[in-house]
Amino acid sequence: MKLLHIDSSALGANSVTRELSAAVVARWQDAVPGLAVEYRDLDAEPIPHLTGRSLAKADPAEAADAERTIQQFLDADVIVIGSPMYNFGISSTLKAWIDRVAVAGRSFRYTETGPEGLAKGKRVIVASGRGGIHTDAPSDFQEPYLRQVLGFLGIDEVEFVRAEGVAYSPQHRSDALAGAHASIRTPTPLRLAA
Ligand SMILES: Cc1cc2nc3c(=O)[nH]c(=O)nc-3n(C[C@H](O)[C@H](O)[C@H](O)COP(=O)(O)O)c2cc1C
């Protein structure tokens, strides 16, 4: 079984989502002996924005990395994504990754009856961090967006481990982090087999 661990926070050691994504991955490692984990830090090694040159594969090194990125995504059984809310949406580094994994003919396709996701059978756990409180609010363009785009790719099993309101006060931050840690689910044999 393969797990792909993605971080995209720009806040380094002070990051809420890095702490939570690492805790989720540790839980999976405890539950699944021999789990193969690959890690990608999109802040330390950002993927270039998708441009016309990218689509034309004008830069062989960029094209090779793009191929590695989509294949790494397709190969993963479980994906753990650290996603900070930046300006009401996801970080641009994470968006750059999505632009490389949402590829027509690889992870989705259009048919005469509409789009079809081709990346079926994966589980995604998103470690979400927000300075304010946005759950079920119209200001949330982060989690609904991730659910939408992952669903478009065929991934319906998306779970959020969320710490929000972390900017309100140090107490809010520690309470939100404690609540998020407590919400991390241990992968059960049933869910592993699903
Ligand atoms: C550039 C930037 C933009 C942010 N934009 C928002 C925002 O729109 N709404 C919000 O609630 N918090 C916002 N925040 C606060 C972050 O969501 C919060 O710090 C969260 O913990 C980010 O996750 P991280 O700690 O893993 O980086 C922003 C933070 C930064 C650095």
Side-chain angles (χ1 to χ4, degrees):
M1 185 178 250
K2 289 185 179 175
L3 184 152
L4 174 59
H5 178 189
I6 303 270
D7 273 326
S8 65
S9 167
L11 296 184
N14 204 34
S15 160
V16 163
T17 59
R18 285 174 186 274
E19 176 178 322
L20 292 173
S21 71
V24 172
V25 172
R27 194 66 71 89
W28 276 85
Q29 284 175 310
D30 286 347
V32 184
L35 181 70
V37 178
E38 290 194 20
Y39 180 62
R40 193 144 190 180
D41 185 337
L42 299 175
D43 182 69
E45 293 184 78
I47 291 171
H49 286 299
L50 190 75
T51 64
R53 280 176 56 78
S54 318
L55 294 176
K57 297 186 170 42
D59 178 343
E62 184 188 332
D65 190 52
E67 176 55 31
R68 185 172 77 84
T69 299
I70 173 85
Q71 199 56 55
Q72 187 181 47
F73 167 76
L74 293 172
D75 289 345
D77 302 293
V78 181
I79 305 174
V80 178
I81 300 174
S83 171
M85 175 184 273
Y86 287 164
N87 300 315
F88 302 102
I90 62 170
S91 56
S92 60
T93 50
L94 182 57
K95 179 60 166 56
W97 178 80
I98 289 171
D99 286 343
R100 304 300 176 141
V101 302
V103 178
R106 303 287 296 279
S107 54
F108 73 92
R109 67 179 172 188
Y110 283 105
T111 71
E112 288 182 359
T113 53
E116 180 189 2
L118 301 177
K120 298 183 178 89
K122 301 182 192 306
R123 267 147 292 171
V124 173
I125 302 103
V126 177
S128 168
R130 293 103 92 86
I133 293 177
H134 303 277
T135 298
D136 296 329
S139 54
D140 189 354
F141 294 89
Q142 175 209 6
E143 294 185 13
Y145 167 72
L146 287 171
R147 197 180 283 285
Q148 168 67 33
V149 72
L150 292 165
F152 180 77
L153 302 180
I155 306 171
D156 298 322
E157 205 178 320
V158 182
E159 189 183 315
F160 290 89
V161 170
R162 176 185 309 113
E164 65 180 350
V166 301
Y168 284 14
S169 74
Q171 189 64 51
H172 277 88
R173 179 185 165 104
S174 63
D175 288 351
L177 263 172
H181 278 286
S183 77
I184 295 173
R185 293 200 286 169
T186 299
T188 62
L190 190 64
R191 291 182 66 238
L192 288 172

